[in-house]
Amino acid sequence: SVELSTNSPAVHISANYGLGESVVNGSVTCDDWLADPAQDLRLIRRTLGSKETEIVGTGKPGGGTLTKPVERARRETYCLSNADVNRVAEGTARIQRVYATLYQIANVDTEFAVTGAGDVRFLQSRPVVVVNSTDVLTVDRHAVSVKDVVCRASYSLLGAVTGRIKIVNDIEELESGSKIIEAEDILVCPKTSNVFEKFLSKLKCGIVTMDGSPSAHPMLIGRERGLVVLCGIPNLWDAVRYMDGKMATLDGLSKTLYRGAVHLKSATQEELEAAFVPQKPVPTQTDRTCIEFLDKYGRLERVADGNGPERLWVKNPNTSLPPAWCELYGRIYEARFHVVNRARSSPLQADPLSCTHRVLHGQYNADEYVPVARTLSVFDGMSVPDFQRYFAMVDKDAVMYLRACEDFGHRPSVSTWRAYCEAYVPLYAALWLSFFVRMRLKTMSSTLAHDLGISNFHYSAMLQYQQTRNHAREEEFELHSEIASLAAAIHPFALSAGESYQLSQDGCLGTLSVKTIVSVALMKDAFRHRLESIAQRFRIGKRTGIHEDMPVEVVVELVLSSIMQGAVTPAADRTERIDYFPQIPEVMQTIAAHMESRIQNSNAHHYKVRGQWHVRHGLEAVARGVGIRVEDLFEAGSVAEVESVIRRFEQASIQSRSSAGSDATRCAPPAPTPYLTVSAALLAGIVIGVFLAKKKVL
C-alpha cells in the first residue's frame, strides 16, 4: 500500500507466473503496477518485467516444485489482466483500511494469488517496514546529466550514497574469499539471498542487483540495515562491466546508478511530499525573461536608427558567418512559416512570423525581436499529431540537407551548389523555430499533467523515461560513445599498467602529464584521423561557421577527460517497457512529442556541422581548381559570386577532362585535406611544446 522508493501513497503490485516464491526471493524481475488511491486506483504506470523463469508444482504424488523457463510469448505479455490488477488494488486498499482502523498501522504488505479460474485470493498480510524519510539524501539533479547515468532500476529504497563498485558474480567468490565486502562498497550482483547475509556484516553503502522485486531479499535487508538498494536492472552487466573498483553513486529516489561521486543533498519530508502534488503548468517565457537570456549570452544588440526609438536585434545564429552565408541564412525567414504550416491539419492564412532582418557588422545575421506570444501563435491549434507530422518533415529535411552537402563535397558543380542552397533553408528554418517548438510542447505536456492530477514527480519520471528510451537516437550519445571509444583505444597504447595506477593516484607520470601522453598517441595516423573525423561530424565548439577551423583542441580535451574517467564506451540502454497512465494514451503521446522536440533540436545542430564539412571540402576542391585560396570564397560578397567561381571551376574541369580524353565526372576530395595537415601540425605542436616545457626528450 506504499511505493517503497518514494514512500508515497500508492498500491504497488508485483507479480510473476507460477507460484509466489519467485516473487518473494527476487529470482526474477516481475511485472509491476502502481495505482493511485487518490484517483480511484487509476494506474500511474505498469512495467513489463523479464519474467525469465517461473516456479510450478511437479505434479508428482510426493509434491515439490521445479523452476522452468517462461516462453517468450508469455514473457512479452503482462501476467495479470487489467481486471486482475484492479481487483488486487481494491483488495489491498481494503486491507490497509482494516489495519488502520484496528491497529493504527498506516501501510501493509500483502501476498496474493490468482487462481486458474481468475479468482484473487489474499494469502497473508503484515505491516510494511518503510524507510524513515524524515531527512532523505538524494542526488542534486542540477549536478548531473544523462551522460552520468549508468543504468536505472525497476525498484529501489529511498536514500543516496557514494561508494566503490564491487562486482560479485556468484556467492562462491565470497565463500572462497576472492571477494570481500567492505563498508564503503556498493555490492553489484545478479541477486542476493539469505546465504549472502554473513558476508554483508560490514556493508554500509548499498546493493544493486539484476533481478528483484519490492519484496525481494535485497529490499528486505536494505530496509533492515538502512542501505540504499536498486534492483530489477535487465542490462546491469553491460552497464557495469568496466566499473569494478570505480566510484559510483546510488540514488533511490530516481532509481538511478550514476558514474563517479555525485553531489548529494538532503530532501525533507515536506520536500518529498511536495513532489507528489499535481504538476503545475509551465508557462511560456515572458518577453522580459527572453530578453534577459539573449542579453546574458551576447545575442542581443540595441540599435538606435536616427531619432527613432531603440530597436532590439537578435543574432541568429550567435556566430559570425561569411557574407555569402549571411545572404543564404537570410532566406530562412520567409521559409519558417511554410515549415510549420505544411504540418498543420488546419493551415494558417497569415504569417505571424514575418519580421525585419539584417546583417550586423558585416558578419552576423540578426532579426528584429518579436514578442514571444506573437511567435508562438504560429503553433496555435496544433495537436500532438500535427507536431508528430512536423517532426517527420523536419527529419526528412535533415536527410535532404546531408545528401545535398555530400553531393557537393564529392561533385562540386553549379547544380550541386544550388541543391545545397535549396536544402539549407528548411533545416536552418527549423533550427530557428526549435526553441519555440520546445516551449510550446513543454507548456502542452505540463498543462495536460496538471489537468489530469498527475504529480510533478511522475511527470518528471515520464520525461526521464522517454529520454532514456530514445538516448541511442541522439547524436550526443553517439559523440560520447566515439570519444570514449577513442579514449579506450589510446589508453593501453599510452600507458602501462603501472603508469595507469600512478595516473589514477597522482594525475601525472613524473613530469609527464596525461595530455602529453595522449598527444604522443595522437601522432599515430589512425588515432589522429579518428579524432579529426569526430571534429568534422559533431557540433563540439561554439564557433560553428563554415569558415571556422576544426575544434581539434576541444576534442583532445574531451578525450583526456574520458581517459581520466575510465574511458568506458556507454551501452545503449535496454530500457524495460513502461506504460505510464496506460488508460490515457494521450499522456505519453504528448510527453513523447515534448522530448522529441529536444532530441530533434540537438541532432539538427550536429547535422548542420556534418553537412558543412562536406561543403567545405567541395569548396576546397573548387579553390584549388581555379588557383585561389578557400578563404577567398569565404570573402565572396554573395551567393551568386560563389556560384560564379564554381562555374569557372566546372568549366575548367570540363576542358581538362576533354583535353585528357577522360569521361571522369567525379571530383573526390583529396586525402589528406589541408585541414588534416593543419591538425597534425597542431598536435605536433602540442607534443613539442609540452615536452620542451618539461625538458623531456622523446
Side-chain angles (χ1 to χ4, degrees):
S1 65
V2 62
E3 186 181 22
L4 294 174
S5 62
T6 62
N7 281 6
S8 64
V11 178
H12 194 178
I13 302 168
S14 293
N16 186 30
Y17 296 114
L19 301 176
E21 180 65 18
S22 65
V23 179
V24 176
N25 67 19
S27 60
V28 299
T29 299
C30 304
D31 289 343
D32 182 86
W33 297 261
L34 193 68
D36 187 352
Q39 296 282 347
D40 296 324
L41 297 174
R42 178 182 69 188
L43 281 183
I44 296 171
R45 68 165 188 264
R46 63 182 180 184
T47 305
L48 189 69
S50 55
K51 307 186 300 293
E52 294 181 352
T53 60
E54 63 179 325
I55 298 173
V56 298
T58 61
K60 296 179 180 179
T65 62
L66 60 87
T67 300
K68 69 174 189 177
V70 176
E71 57 272 25
R72 181 174 179 178
R74 292 171 69 219
R75 289 203 310 269
E76 295 178 352
T77 305
Y78 286 99
C79 64
L80 296 181
S81 68
N82 290 339
D84 291 338
V85 171
N86 191 57
R87 286 198 293 270
V88 172
E90 289 177 342
T92 304
R94 288 202 304 273
I95 293 169
Q96 179 191 23
R97 290 194 294 271
V98 170
Y99 270 70
T101 301
L102 297 182
Y103 312 114
Q104 291 74 54
I105 290 172
N107 289 296
V108 296
D109 178 9
T110 72
E111 293 185 19
F112 69 92
V114 180
T115 69
D119 298 325
V120 175
R121 307 282 179 86
F122 285 90
L123 309 178
Q124 61 172 307
S125 183
R126 53 190 170 266
V128 69
V129 180
V130 298
V131 177
N132 183 358
S133 57
T134 303
D135 272 323
V136 174
L137 280 178
T138 185
V139 162
D140 183 352
R141 300 293 186 277
H142 299 293
V144 294
S145 72
V146 70
K147 296 178 184 177
D148 301 312
V149 174
V150 177
C151 56
R152 291 190 171 93
S154 298
Y155 313 103
S156 66
L157 292 180
L158 272 179
V161 67
T162 295
R164 195 173 298 278
I165 294 288
K166 181 155 289 180
I167 296 176
V168 175
N169 295 286
D170 192 273
I171 187 66
E172 293 179 0
E173 293 182 328
L174 298 177
E175 292 174 338
S176 67
S178 62
K179 292 283 181 74
I180 298 174
I181 306 299
E182 303 292 349
E184 305 307 316
D185 285 339
I186 294 174
L187 171 62
V188 177
C189 56
K191 63 181 180 179
T192 65
S193 61
N194 292 335
V195 296
F196 274 74
E197 292 193 24
K198 62 183 177 181
F199 302 106
L200 306 182
S201 58
K202 296 181 181 179
L203 186 64
K204 301 293 183 185
C205 285
I207 301 173
V208 182
T209 65
M210 183 167 64
D211 294 314
S213 69
S215 58
H217 179 266
M219 299 286 278
L220 296 175
I221 195 172
R223 292 200 293 271
E224 290 172 3
R225 299 189 184 185
L227 303 175
V228 182
V229 175
L230 304 181
C231 64
I233 309 173
N235 66 326
L236 178 62
W237 292 124
D238 286 341
V240 302
R241 57 181 169 173
Y242 296 116
M243 293 191 65
D244 197 25
K246 297 188 180 299
M247 298 301 292
T249 300
L250 304 183
D251 183 29
L253 189 60
S254 65
K255 304 179 185 177
T256 303
L257 172 63
Y258 292 97
R259 187 175 290 107
V262 175
H263 182 257
L264 305 179
K265 68 172 187 176
S266 179
T268 65
Q269 180 64 23
E270 289 74 20
E271 288 175 319
L272 291 173
E273 290 174 356
F276 291 92
V277 300
Q279 169 68 35
K280 293 181 179 179
V282 178
T284 57
Q285 291 192 26
T286 64
D287 289 312
R288 179 179 176 179
T289 56
C290 274
I291 289 170
E292 288 174 350
F293 169 82
L294 294 167
D295 235 350
K296 179 180 177 181
Y297 289 95
R299 295 189 60 180
L300 198 67
E301 286 212 17
R302 293 169 170 83
V303 179
D305 293 333
N307 297 322
E310 187 178 65
R311 301 168 72 180
L312 300 180
W313 295 90
V314 182
K315 294 178 183 175
N316 273 312
N318 192 27
T319 187
S320 63
L321 296 175
W325 278 263
C326 282
E327 177 193 332
L328 186 56
Y329 191 89
R331 299 176 185 177
I332 76 161
Y333 291 102
E334 289 187 8
R336 295 172 303 169
F337 177 61
H338 170 69
V339 166
V340 178
N341 221 25
R342 64 186 179 176
R344 295 179 59 98
S345 51
S346 300
L348 297 176
Q349 300 303 312
D351 180 6
L353 299 174
S354 60
C355 66
T356 306
H357 58 91
R358 63 188 293 180
V359 176
L360 296 173
H361 316 301
Q363 58 182 343
Y364 288 101
N365 263 91
D367 45 84
E368 189 168 12
Y369 183 82
V370 172
V372 172
R374 187 179 127 195
T375 303
L376 288 174
S377 68
V378 76
F379 306 115
D380 285 353
M382 284 185 67
S383 63
V384 170
D386 286 344
F387 278 107
Q388 291 170 337
R389 194 156 44 247
Y390 172 85
F391 296 138
M393 290 176 172
V394 173
D395 282 342
K396 184 177 179 180
D397 291 337
V399 171
M400 297 297 291
Y401 169 79
L402 288 172
R403 185 179 300 160
C405 292
E406 289 178 23
D407 285 348
F408 181 78
H410 291 303
R411 296 185 300 275
S413 67
V414 171
S415 64
T416 55
W417 169 255
R418 289 178 177 175
Y420 156 68
C421 293
E422 183 179 348
Y424 177 103
V425 173
L427 180 66
Y428 279 70
L431 274 168
W432 191 100
L433 290 161
S434 62
F435 173 79
F436 298 98
V437 173
R438 284 177 288 153
M439 189 187 299
R440 171 51 58 92
L441 282 165
K442 183 183 291 186
T443 299
M444 283 178 62
S445 65
S446 59
T447 301
L448 178 63
H450 174 268
D451 293 345
L452 293 172
I454 296 172
S455 73
N456 55 31
F457 178 85
H458 291 115
Y459 174 74
S460 298
M462 287 189 286
L463 291 173
Q464 186 180 69
Y465 170 71
Q466 197 66 29
Q467 182 174 10
T468 303
R469 186 182 181 191
N470 290 286
H471 194 29
R473 289 179 48 227
E474 294 190 57
E475 291 295 319
E476 282 289 326
F477 177 83
E478 185 65 23
L479 168 62
H480 184 55
S481 298
E482 294 204 21
I483 290 289
S485 175
L486 178 56
I490 289 173
H491 194 279
F493 168 83
L495 305 175
S496 66
E499 288 170 335
S500 295
Y501 178 77
Q502 184 181 351
L503 177 64
S504 67
Q505 298 297 308
D506 305 333
C508 63
L509 301 176
T511 56
L512 289 182
S513 70
V514 67
K515 186 165 185 174
T516 303
I517 296 164
V518 171
S519 298
V520 173
L522 288 174
M523 291 305 294
K524 290 176 67 72
D525 286 347
F527 292 152
R528 193 178 75 252
H529 290 159
R530 286 178 64 181
L531 180 144
E532 292 159 350
S533 174
I534 292 170
Q536 293 184 36
R537 290 187 297 114
F538 299 99
R539 183 197 184 191
I540 296 170
K542 293 182 179 179
R543 299 165 65 88
T544 58
I546 192 169
H547 60 304
E548 303 286 357
D549 291 333
M550 276 192 297
V552 173
E553 289 186 343
V554 180
V555 182
V556 170
E557 293 297 334
L558 291 173
V559 172
L560 291 172
S561 175
S562 185
I563 287 178
M564 298 299 288
Q565 294 175 14
V568 178
T569 303
D573 269 339
R574 294 206 304 270
T575 307
E576 71 273 77
R577 187 179 114 194
I578 303 178
D579 300 319
Y580 282 95
F581 299 93
Q583 293 134 322
I584 316 172
E586 182 187 1
V587 172
M588 279 309 291
Q589 291 169 2
T590 308
I591 290 290
H594 177 174
M595 291 308 300
E596 183 65 24
S597 67
R598 190 199 63 77
I599 292 170
Q600 188 171 79
N601 170 64
S602 175
N603 286 353
H605 281 288
H606 293 292
Y607 298 151
K608 177 185 78 171
V609 170
R610 192 169 303 165
Q612 276 185 176
W613 277 101
H614 286 296
V615 174
R616 179 155 177 164
H617 291 318
L619 293 172
E620 290 162 5
V622 169
R624 284 192 303 274
V626 298
I628 62 174
R629 303 171 308 140
V630 72
E631 288 79 10
D632 295 328
L633 286 170
F634 296 143
E635 293 170 4
S638 66
V639 172
E641 191 175 332
V642 174
E643 183 176 308
S644 68
V645 177
I646 295 171
R647 181 175 286 106
R648 281 168 46 204
F649 165 79
E650 193 172 19
Q651 291 170 347
S653 298
I654 292 172
Q655 292 174 359
S656 175
R657 287 197 300 271
S658 176
S659 61
S662 169
D663 292 328
T665 60
R666 192 170 178 83
C667 178
T673 70
Y675 296 92
L676 297 183
T677 306
V678 170
S679 178
L682 173 61
L683 291 173
I686 293 174
V687 177
I688 293 169
V690 174
F691 271 76
L692 288 177
K694 300 293 186 181
K695 293 185 171 62
K696 298 295 282 185
V697 178
L698 276 175

